[in-house]
Amino acid sequence: MNSSSEKHESNEIVLEPMYRLPALIILTGVPIFLTPLPIWIGVLISSFGFFLLLQTFTLRIKFTDKDLIVLQLGKEIRRFPYENWVAWRIFFPQLPGILYFRETASPHLLPIIFDKKMLELQLKLHLGNLEINNKKEIN
C-alpha cells in the first residue's frame, strides 16, 4: 500500500516507517572519519544510526481505540493504554523529532521513525486533550 498508513480494521491504524532520522544520523557520523577527530566518535554515531535503521525496518506502531501498540516484526511487544497517559508532546517538530509521552507510572522518549504527520494526527485524534504545548510544563 502506498499511503502513509495501513488500515487493518476499521479502528486500527499502523504507521508507515520513515527512514529520515536514521539516515540523518548515519550521514552525520560518516564525515567524522575524514576529520582529525578520533575515529571512535564516527563509529559511535554511525552505529547508532544503523541501530535506528534496523529498528525502522522491524518496529511498527499501531493505534487502536484504546491503546498504542508497539509491534516488532508483526508481534506485539508493548501496549500503552490511553487511560494511563498523562501527557504527550513532539519535540523538534521541524526535524524528524522525538515523541515524549508520560504515563501514570513513567515517562517515555521515542525517536520518531514513523510518518510524523500521521503520528501527530493519531495522537491528536486519540489523546488531543493531553497534548503539551509551549504554555504547559512537562512534569
Side-chain angles (χ1 to χ4, degrees):
M1 185 177 266
N2 220 4
S3 69
S4 61
S5 66
E6 299 175 10
K7 289 190 178 187
H8 288 261
E9 290 184 11
S10 60
N11 298 325
E12 295 183 353
I13 302 289
V14 178
L15 300 186
E16 289 292 323
M18 296 296 278
Y19 302 95
R20 290 186 312 199
L21 181 60
L24 180 65
I25 293 172
I26 292 168
L27 291 174
T28 300
V30 170
I32 292 175
F33 294 116
L34 305 174
T35 68
L37 292 172
I39 195 166
W40 65 267
I41 294 174
V43 169
L44 184 68
I45 292 171
S46 295
S47 295
F48 180 65
F50 281 111
F51 168 76
L52 280 180
L53 185 62
L54 176 66
Q55 295 300 310
T56 305
F57 279 109
T58 62
L59 293 178
R60 297 291 177 268
I61 291 181
K62 178 168 50 171
F63 285 90
T64 68
D65 287 337
K66 297 181 180 186
D67 308 296
L68 179 138
I69 301 170
V70 179
L71 306 166
Q72 186 172 38
L73 298 173
K75 182 180 176 186
E76 180 181 323
I77 60 172
R78 186 77 195 265
R79 184 176 290 256
F80 299 100
Y82 301 141
E83 65 187 25
N84 296 339
W85 287 47
V86 176
W88 68 271
R89 182 177 184 184
I90 294 179
F91 289 105
F92 313 115
Q94 298 80 8
L95 300 174
I98 296 173
L99 170 63
Y100 163 84
F101 68 95
R102 181 170 183 83
E103 292 185 290
T104 53
S106 63
H108 305 279
L109 283 173
L110 301 172
I112 299 177
I113 54 176
F114 308 98
D115 182 340
K116 186 173 58 176
K117 289 181 182 181
M118 280 302 293
L119 174 65
E120 188 171 9
L121 176 70
Q122 290 301 313
L123 287 168
K124 286 182 178 185
L125 177 67
H126 295 286
L127 301 151
N129 61 324
L130 299 178
E131 181 179 9
I132 298 170
N133 58 36
N134 293 332
K135 296 174 186 170
K136 295 181 185 177
E137 290 186 17
I138 300 172
N139 296 325

